[in-house]
Amino acid sequence: MRPNLMARTLVAATAVAGIAAGSLAGATAGFAASAPAAKPAMSTQAVSVQAVNNLGLNTKEAKGIQRVLKRDWGYKGAIDGRLGTDSWKAMQRYLHKYWGYNKKIDGVVGSDTVKALQRMLKKYCGYKGKIDGIAGKDTKAAFKWFANHYA
């Protein structure tokens, strides 16, 4: 057999094998996709997901905020320096009573929570920014000031 003919035969055989394998893989994939998916193993332990948002406070400062929230606003969690959902629910109760927070008490630090916090910080803590619901560096600095002077 001539070398050129041999090379062409080898290339053709490889192409046929590749096409066959691709067709088989496609058929197998189609079969697998139609089969019921295996159920993932489920844990019997309850999982509690709490977002922590200290808005720039360190642990000591956040603990001070939690102490005030526990004393005055119904916070029942640990004084751990992690402002999670329960800490923010208590903060929202305070913001609702005095600073115009009118949304659901859900512990989520959304723009409405931040706007109410900014109103308080503007009045008492030197915040000079806009009431825009964005917890930027000036909001965080004023919240830090609040934590160090009032909590």
Side-chain angles (χ1 to χ4, degrees), residues 8 13 35 41 69 74 91 98 116 125 131 138 149:
R8 280 189 279 174
L69 295 173
M91 179 64 82
Y98 295 109
C125 303
I131 306 300
D138 293 338
H149 290 85

Side-chain angles (χ1 to χ4, degrees), residues 99-150:
W99 300 104
Y101 178 76
N102 291 314
K103 300 294 180 181
K104 182 179 178 185
I105 304 295
D106 59 6
V108 175
V109 187
S111 64
D112 292 310
T113 302
V114 174
K115 282 179 186 177
L117 181 64
Q118 287 170 330
R119 285 190 279 278
M120 184 272 294
L121 296 172
K122 188 168 238 160
K123 176 87 173 175
Y124 294 115
C125 303
Y127 176 66
K128 300 203 183 311
K130 294 179 182 176
I131 306 300
D132 58 6
I134 299 169
K137 65 178 182 64
D138 293 338
T139 301
K140 290 177 181 179
F143 191 48
K144 187 177 269 295
W145 189 92
F146 172 75
N148 285 308
H149 290 85
Y150 289 110

Side-chain angles (χ1 to χ4, degrees), residues 77-113:
I79 305 297
D80 60 3
R82 297 172 45 88
L83 300 180
T85 304
D86 292 337
S87 297
W88 283 105
K89 282 181 181 180
M91 179 64 82
Q92 286 171 333
R93 285 189 286 277
Y94 163 71
L95 295 171
H96 173 76
K97 179 149 181 147
Y98 295 109
W99 300 104
Y101 178 76
N102 291 314
K103 300 294 180 181
K104 182 179 178 185
I105 304 295
D106 59 6
V108 175
V109 187
S111 64
D112 292 310
T113 302

